[in-house]
Amino acid sequence: MRLKAPRILPLRDEEMDAETRETLKDRFDTGAVFNIFRTLARAPKGFKRFRLWGGYILSDHNDLPPRERELVILRTGFNWKAGYEWAQHERIGLNCGLTPDEVGRIKAGPDAPGWGALDAALLKATDELTSDSFITEATWAKLGVLTETQKMNLVFTVGQYTQVCMMLNTFGVQLDDDLTLDKDLTK
């Protein structure tokens, strides 16, 4: 975590207007309105649009398989040292088929022993995008088993979660009560 306290306070329930409550209705229905959503709701029009794109990235419309999508999201969060992002998506990744060993190895990156060719290529592509905003020809070739649309969705996913990490880190979004900060993401 970059900040020990929020720069932008999450909205409390009593501060939400009708439009914000409607935007967060699905979260209230499940009983979990995460700090990220409460914080982003301070800019309601932007938040509403953000949820549409973020919803695409996390939906079945993104044809990057969920396990691979989460591999990429976790590596993006780790590269940007976003403790909140890592904590939320560690859970999601495990639910999407990543093993605890794989989650630990994501931090070591594409050269860690044990990765298959596609996983290593996805991690390498993520590293290249988060360091240079470009996937090299060599890495692009290693992604050859993916469709063109899946490759596009890989870039979309890293881009979306780069933005999320910027917001989380800069706004100081603190962990929700049920999350634990990974020791490798203390700053």
Side-chain angles (χ1 to χ4, degrees), residues 1-2 77-78 81-83 86-87 181-187:
M1 299 293 290
R2 307 268 179 125
F78 185 77
K81 302 298 181 232
W86 181 272
L181 180 62
D182 186 286
K183 65 179 174 44
D184 294 326
L185 290 166
T186 58
K187 186 97 169 139

Side-chain angles (χ1 to χ4, degrees), residues 33-35 38 84 87-88 91 174-181:
V33 183
F34 301 136
N35 285 338
R38 290 178 177 277
Y84 186 98
Q88 281 288 7
R91 266 195 308 213
Q174 300 299 295
L175 295 178
D176 297 300
D177 292 338
D178 63 336
L179 297 176
T180 303
L181 180 62

Side-chain angles (χ1 to χ4, degrees), residues 140 165 167:
W140 190 259
C165 292
M167 292 184 290

